[in-house]
Amino acid sequence: MKILCNKADLLKGVSTVSKAVPSKTTMPILECILIDATSAVIKLTANDMDLGIQTEIKGTIVEKGMIAIDAKIFSEIVRKLPDSEISIETNDNLQTTITCEKAKFDLAGKSADEFSFLPKIEKDVSINISEFTLKEVIRQTLFSIADNETNKLMTGELFEFSGSTLRVVSLDGHRISIRKIELKEDVESKKLVVPGKTLSDITKIVSGEIDKDVVLSYTNNHIVFEFDNTTVVSRLIEGDYFKIDQMLSNDYETKVKINKREFLNSIDRATLFVKEGDKKPIILDIGEEAIELKIKSQIGSMDESINIEKEGKDLMIGFNPKFLIDALRVIDEDEVTLYLMNAKAPCFIKDEKENYIYLILPVNFNVGA
Amino acid sequence: MKILCNKADLLKGVSTVSKAVPSKTTMPILECILIDATSAVIKLTANDMDLGIQTEIKGTIVEKGMIAIDAKIFSEIVRKLPDSEISIETNDNLQTTITCEKAKFDLAGKSADEFSFLPKIEKDVSINISEFTLKEVIRQTLFSIADNETNKLMTGELFEFSGSTLRVVSLDGHRISIRKIELKEDVESKKLVVPGKTLSDITKIVSGEIDKDVVLSYTNNHIVFEFDNTTVVSRLIEGDYFKIDQMLSNDYETKVKINKREFLNSIDRATLFVKEGDKKPIILDIGEEAIELKIKSQIGSMDESINIEKEGKDLMIGFNPKFLIDALRVIDEDEVTLYLMNAKAPCFIKDEKENYIYLILPVNFNVGA
């Protein structure tokens, strides 16, 4: 095999597929990037068996062929080369020579025969979402998946298609994040549970332009994202997702409108008094015209009041400050509305159209503390 | 005590003195910043017994007094406060209340009686150096101090004053870095060994402006840096520094002029093949018109040639690539000159006026490898 391509194109391709290279594995071939120059275009592929990424790069195929190269060393070499044309050439012993200007690197490649190619996907449906919207909806929900593996379903996000709506849901047992987005057309109803890692990787490689689309398709076991000459194939998480709608409610006893930035900054300050691991709640003392935020720990105490618009009863309720911060950070609006029932019932932060709903469970607190 | 000051001033002061707060100590008082509002100005001080920093901040003293506050929590509070006026007030129980807009923090302070104040220094000499020059000379030499404590002198830098010259020297047993700077006037001859940590902290708090000066003074045990309402007092390292001049030589058999950027980038690429801990040398094969750089390891091999101007013999010599990189990175010139004797003698990288000299010992290499 011999190919020529320029550094910028190769580097972009290598960075893209590297997301599917596992950081730890007992199978050295999974640590490789496959360079496939057997057809008319140069394709790079990496596949950790749960997630596979393939991307096409510009370049010239001088001699057809395939080679698998250690992803880490390959991407480091490419990154450090001068901004110029790169030649990659292999011999019969899989020895690979990378040349750029006067620099010449030799390293041992692996046979493409060992490589796990991406599964072939039969595409029945395809759904278009703008890159920007997909990236945003992931950012606005991904923080509340669970990171432990005791409940596999919690490590993924529900992608629920119905009519012309996509609802994305994540939950970790303490909170639920829900975002609804309008699609350009009606699609078949379908529920998919997509691994959190896949979504996190997608946000890193999708450029996020508003007028470029990602094309989604799926089978029973896989979801496919196509954009920008790149195909990402991920396994789905098996099983029925949690019944979210039973947990949602429109009743409330207290409704609070508050400036988001002030609320967020104040909670952020309160976290100074919370050492990692100790579960000190922040106490919201909701009065007629202001919320008083209070936190007290061995280190010291904080007390701050913020003006609000309130309907309904006064209420004192405690939260894990991190959960409030996570939700407030991904809400773009200047003002948010909290709906509360009592000190033991979940708090809902949502907009009127319910394009977003963040449900957060309160924590017990000792008023005297 | 009660003082008022604005956030920006207080934050700058706290960040400055925090450099003298030890990260680990068994004495809680050393983890504190002292706020001293007993005189006409507000002074902040921290002191880890080796290094002490004091800075004055703008503000109003409403009620005179002193208090020591945990540096970490205090600086985090100040950082997170709104950009507004801050009030700090203590009561008779050393309880300290920090108020800013509607936020109020309470924490326990410590008595100033426990605090170790900076040593009083009798100033006989004072030497002016521009902040820029001091920062530069530290950056250009500090990388080659030794970080282990087996030879205390190697963990500091020699500041050698003679005539109107300051010579700064660091060495770690494998290399020596020397920078000479012209002072504005003649000063008394003196050799001081300044701890590396002090110099590293100084570069972080000196702003580096060309037309502002740092005033240096010293006693037998201490060096003092004064700038921008800030005083840094550091212990000196005791003992006679190494006799550098015996190690320097002007003889050479091979003289090489090379483009610094090309040389540096090429060595940087070669380091891809060196895993941390394995001491693979880079081999410089110096020919008539080019240097060939070669490195070979289990991972693979690299080979690159760079055009040079050469005088004298051809030579093949091996180096730890990191040592070459460290020296080349801090040389600002576009072209550098290497002076070599043979494969076992040190290489000198220096300019004609010897304003800088970087001596690097070669390493053995196996030509066949």
Side-chain angles (χ1 to χ4, degrees), chain B residues 251-255 310-315 339-342:
Chain B
D251 297 342
Y252 64 88
E253 294 278 347
T254 309
K255 180 178 168 183
K310 194 197 77 166
E311 287 172 28
K313 292 188 191 167
D314 288 2
L315 176 65
Y339 299 83
L340 304 118
M341 182 61 89
N342 58 53

Side-chain angles (χ1 to χ4, degrees), chain A residues 217-261:
Chain A
S217 50
Y218 53 80
T219 66
N220 282 333
N221 302 315
H222 289 95
I223 183 164
V224 182
F225 300 85
E226 285 168 291
F227 52 94
D228 205 14
N229 294 323
T230 301
T231 306
V232 177
V233 181
S234 165
R235 271 188 208 279
L236 292 168
I237 297 174
E238 286 173 40
D240 286 330
Y241 200 72
F242 310 92
K243 297 197 167 38
I244 299 301
D245 296 307
Q246 300 177 356
M247 307 178 204
L248 304 180
S249 148
N250 286 317
D251 298 342
Y252 64 89
E253 295 278 347
T254 310
K255 179 178 169 184
V256 173
K257 269 194 195 171
I258 188 165
N259 178 291
K260 195 203 79 168
R261 180 60 37 201

Side-chain angles (χ1 to χ4, degrees), chain A residues 80 104 106 268-269 301 303, chain B residues 80 104 106 268 301 303:
Chain A
K80 292 204 171 179
K104 193 169 131 266
D106 277 304
D268 189 37
R269 284 192 278 274
S301 64
D303 199 314
Chain B
K80 293 203 172 181
K104 192 168 132 272
D106 276 305
D268 189 37
S301 65
D303 199 314

Side-chain angles (χ1 to χ4, degrees), chain A residues 73 76-77 80-82 102-108 268-269 271-273 299-305 307, chain B residues 73 76-77 80-82 102-108 268-269 271-273 299-305 307:
Chain A
I73 182 83
E76 281 176 3
I77 288 174
K80 292 204 171 179
L81 284 175
K102 288 184 181 168
K104 193 169 131 266
F105 295 85
D106 277 304
L107 57 162
D268 189 37
R269 284 192 278 274
T271 58
L272 290 174
F273 291 101
I299 307 168
S301 64
M302 192 201 81
D303 199 314
E304 182 162 0
S305 87
N307 292 339
Chain B
I73 183 81
E76 282 175 4
I77 289 174
K80 293 203 172 181
L81 285 175
K102 287 182 182 172
K104 192 168 132 272
F105 296 83
D106 276 305
L107 58 163
D268 189 37
R269 284 192 279 275
T271 58
L272 290 173
F273 291 101
I299 307 169
S301 65
M302 191 201 82
D303 199 314
E304 181 162 358
S305 87
N307 292 339

Side-chain angles (χ1 to χ4, degrees), chain B residues 222-283:
Chain B
H222 289 94
I223 183 167
V224 183
F225 300 84
E226 286 169 288
F227 51 93
D228 204 16
N229 293 325
T230 301
T231 306
V232 177
V233 180
S234 166
R235 269 188 208 279
L236 292 167
I237 299 175
E238 287 173 40
D240 287 330
Y241 199 71
F242 310 92
K243 296 196 169 39
I244 299 303
D245 296 305
Q246 301 177 354
M247 307 177 203
L248 304 180
S249 148
N250 285 318
D251 297 342
Y252 64 88
E253 294 278 347
T254 309
K255 180 178 168 183
V256 173
K257 269 194 195 171
I258 189 165
N259 177 292
K260 195 204 79 170
R261 181 58 41 201
E262 284 182 34
F263 192 32
L264 180 55
N265 287 349
S266 176
I267 302 167
D268 189 37
R269 284 192 279 275
T271 58
L272 290 173
F273 291 101
V274 189
K275 281 195 190 146
E276 211 150 328
D278 86 358
K279 292 182 181 159
K280 278 286 164 200
I282 183 163
I283 294 163

Side-chain angles (χ1 to χ4, degrees), chain B residues 137-157:
Chain B
V137 78
I138 296 171
R139 178 182 71 86
Q140 289 163 338
T141 51
L142 196 62
F143 61 86
S144 65
I145 62 169
D147 51 8
N148 69 62
E149 296 273 318
T150 51
N151 190 327
K152 193 84 183 168
L153 283 166
M154 283 194 190
T155 66
E157 293 203 335

